[in-house]
Amino acid sequence: MKFLRFTPLALAALMAGCSLMPAYQQPAAPVPGKFAGDAGADPASTPVAELGWRDVFTDPLLQRVIEMSLANNRDLRVAVLNIEKARAQYRVQDAALFPTVNASAGGSGSRTPADLSSTGEAITARQYSASLGFSSYEIDLFGRVRSLSAQALQQFLSTSEARRSTQISLVAEVATSYLTLAADRDRLKLARDTLQSQSDSYRLNQRSFELGAASALTLRQAQTSVDAARVDVERYTAQVAQDRNALMLLVGAEVPDELLPQALPDTATAAASPLTTIPPGLPSELLQRRPDILQAERDLKAANAYIGAARAAFYPRISLTASAGTSSSELSGLFKGGSGSWSFAPQVTLPIFDGGANRANLKIATVSRDISVAQYEKAIQTAFREVSDALAQRGTLGRQLDAQQSLVNATADSYRLSQARFQRGVDSYLSVLDSQRSLYTAQQNLIGTRLSRLTNLVTFYKTLGGGWNEATGTPVAAKSPDTAS
């Protein structure tokens, strides 16, 4: 009889290994195998995703600003808290695989008056009990609970990848904002120097006008260049203040003045970056190390796992409620021999008619999985475009910088020669003004080109999934739900 009693339990335990969750298959990447350039190029000695941000951003002041942002940025803090939330949600779902055991103790008393008593006398009845048991524990015959647990695990891992992606974006944004502030300070300095130069020139023209050696037209033309420089000084003063505010928002705290950049790094700094040594012809498989793509794949796996739960809803569900303990009419006899009690109440629920709800839920799960596939593929395509754009720009910025520097040198010579011709009375002051404006524009564009070259390296680093490690060879691993404290 004992054998027959436990046969259903043993059969249920054997069937608990069944799962209706479809096998996961990673979708093929819908992009070419190489980004650009020579397909036969050797890969970099150190993968970009393994480069630490300190290896790329070598400026000590910028490193300290990045450290502050990693400690204080609120978006990164939310991403970390989302990991803790998802870890707890996974543990809640995973706990459903095991029965919840509860201990209970209680007592009751009642008095029946003589008028209602069958014996004609008042009756006082008391009952005490203590038990240990579980209720509504689902035997996971068809893997419904395990599918939900697998879904919660993938959602937790997805938030972990989201945290990595947030940190990479933060490091890149801080570096870009830092460099932008430096460039605008260069522009402000150039505008002030130009204002000083044009003010000196205006005073000379004013003196010449007072002596009758210069016309009123020449004086007013000189004044236009002074006023234009004044406008730029005020404009870049405001822009520098806005850049500083943007940097402080990213950092999440006040940035001391001694950590702020005074000017853009020289071109040798950009040329020495390890990113400039990465050859063309990079394999597009590098994209699969980007945390945003890993996050999209985790979401896809979560959607795939939920299909198993939706399929299991078509099959019977068996739940068990059982308890064992002791009962007595007297508190003193609660643990005496012969007071033992137990209960066992299995329940089978078989779906017969639900108006198509289960079929609709399965359709939702399947379509959600297909949506996740499309989002995963779109994430790869977007990443491929970002890397290709960064590579295409990297290949031209060096030559563009050389050409822009040559243009500055040529316009500087033109400005010097036009001033000499004006002083000798060969040309009007209008030619001097045109040459000065051309030089000023070329100098501003040179600053912009230098900024573009530096920010291109930042973008290239971000698009290839770098910036997670602090230094090369020191990976930071996320804790799994089972090992986290």
Side-chain angles (χ1 to χ4, degrees):
M1 294 296 293
K2 289 184 179 180
F3 175 77
L4 294 177
R5 182 184 304 170
F6 290 104
T7 295
L9 294 177
L11 180 61
L14 290 175
M15 295 182 64
C18 177
S19 175
L20 300 176
M21 185 169 59
Y24 173 75
Q25 293 183 350
Q26 185 183 44
V31 293
K34 296 283 184 180
F35 288 114
D38 182 10
D42 295 329
S45 58
T46 300
V48 179
E50 295 180 6
L51 282 174
W53 58 262
R54 291 184 184 273
D55 299 318
V56 176
F57 308 113
T58 56
D59 184 350
L61 297 182
L62 176 55
Q63 288 183 351
R64 291 177 61 184
V65 173
I66 292 176
E67 287 175 356
M68 292 179 61
S69 70
L70 295 178
N72 298 296
N73 182 265
R74 298 312 189 267
D75 290 334
L76 185 59
R77 190 173 298 177
V78 169
V80 173
L81 294 175
N82 281 335
I83 293 179
E84 299 301 320
K85 178 181 177 181
R87 179 186 288 118
Q89 290 173 334
Y90 166 70
R91 285 176 170 172
V92 169
Q93 185 58 59
D94 193 55
L97 291 170
F98 307 95
T100 301
V101 180
N102 297 307
S104 62
S108 63
S110 62
R111 180 181 184 279
T112 304
D115 294 344
L116 300 178
S117 173
S118 59
T119 62
E121 297 180 356
I123 300 175
T124 300
R126 293 182 174 85
Q127 181 177 348
Y128 302 92
S129 64
S131 63
L132 187 70
F134 55 87
S135 61
S136 301
Y137 167 61
E138 180 178 348
I139 299 178
D140 197 21
L141 292 179
F142 302 100
R144 189 187 74 87
V145 179
R146 278 176 289 123
S147 295
L148 293 175
S149 178
Q151 179 193 23
L153 175 60
Q154 295 302 325
Q155 289 172 340
F156 158 71
L157 296 175
S158 176
T159 59
S160 179
E161 299 297 344
R163 184 254 194 259
R164 293 180 57 205
S165 182
T166 300
Q167 176 169 322
I168 291 172
S169 297
L170 175 61
V171 171
E173 288 174 9
V174 169
T176 300
S177 181
Y178 185 90
L179 294 171
T180 301
L181 174 59
D184 284 338
R185 281 191 163 180
D186 279 346
R187 293 186 176 106
L188 177 58
K189 182 179 182 301
L190 175 61
R192 286 173 174 170
D193 292 344
T194 302
L195 175 60
Q196 181 63 42
S197 174
Q198 294 307 309
S199 297
D200 294 341
S201 179
Y202 174 76
R203 284 190 291 269
L204 291 175
N205 283 299
Q206 186 178 33
R207 181 61 177 168
S208 298
F209 173 74
E210 292 172 352
L211 296 175
S215 66
L217 176 61
T218 299
L219 182 62
R220 293 301 173 226
Q221 287 174 336
Q223 184 178 355
T224 60
S225 63
V226 173
D227 291 339
R230 289 175 55 195
V231 169
D232 279 355
V233 167
E234 298 304 325
R235 179 160 60 92
Y236 286 120
T237 298
Q239 188 61 52
V240 166
Q242 292 175 350
D243 292 340
R244 181 168 180 172
N245 293 337
L247 182 61
M248 285 191 298
L249 177 61
L250 287 172
V251 172
E254 180 73 23
V255 181
D257 290 339
E258 59 269 18
L259 296 183
L260 295 176
Q262 300 302 317
L264 278 175
D266 54 27
T267 55
T269 301
S273 171
L275 297 180
T276 59
T277 62
I278 294 176
L282 292 172
S284 60
E285 288 82 359
L286 289 174
L287 294 176
Q288 297 182 357
R289 303 185 63 172
R290 276 182 44 151
D292 57 335
I293 293 179
L294 292 175
Q295 179 185 358
E297 186 175 14
R298 295 296 186 187
D299 293 338
L300 171 57
K301 290 181 178 179
N304 186 74
Y306 185 70
I307 294 178
R311 287 176 175 176
F314 288 89
Y315 295 90
R317 294 175 59 179
I318 298 179
S319 60
L320 299 178
T321 299
S323 65
T326 178
S327 300
S328 175
S329 60
E330 297 180 358
L331 185 60
S332 58
L334 194 59
F335 297 101
K336 290 184 178 180
S339 62
S341 63
W342 61 267
S343 66
F344 180 68
Q347 182 180 11
V348 179
T349 302
L350 178 64
I352 296 177
F353 177 76
D354 59 4
N358 285 337
R359 190 174 298 278
N361 285 330
L362 178 59
K363 181 65 175 179
I364 291 173
T366 304
V367 173
S368 297
R369 190 267 314 276
D370 295 340
I371 292 174
S372 296
V373 170
Q375 291 173 337
Y376 172 72
E377 294 174 343
K378 178 63 179 297
I380 293 179
Q381 291 175 336
T382 301
F384 184 86
R385 178 197 170 184
E386 291 174 351
V387 176
S388 298
D389 288 348
L391 283 171
Q393 191 180 31
R394 187 187 71 164
T396 62
L397 279 173
R399 298 187 296 272
Q400 184 179 341
L401 184 61
D402 293 339
Q404 190 65 42
Q405 183 64 62
S406 177
L407 178 61
V408 169
N409 296 336
T411 52
D413 290 340
S414 175
Y415 177 54
R416 178 178 55 81
L417 293 173
S418 64
Q419 280 185 315
R421 291 174 63 86
F422 169 73
Q423 292 171 357
R424 288 172 174 79
V426 177
D427 289 333
S428 68
Y429 191 74
L430 182 60
S431 63
V432 177
L433 189 61
D434 289 340
S435 297
Q436 186 272 330
R437 288 173 178 171
S438 297
L439 175 59
Y440 181 71
T441 301
Q443 290 172 326
Q444 291 283 8
N445 290 337
L446 179 60
I447 295 173
T449 304
R450 292 174 59 204
L451 175 63
S452 297
R453 188 180 187 189
L454 291 168
T455 55
N456 171 255
L457 296 176
V458 177
T459 302
F460 185 44
Y461 188 50
K462 174 186 174 182
T463 56
L464 284 179
W468 167 244
N469 300 333
E470 183 170 343
T472 301
T474 57
V476 181
K479 294 181 179 180
S480 66
D482 299 327
T483 61
S485 58

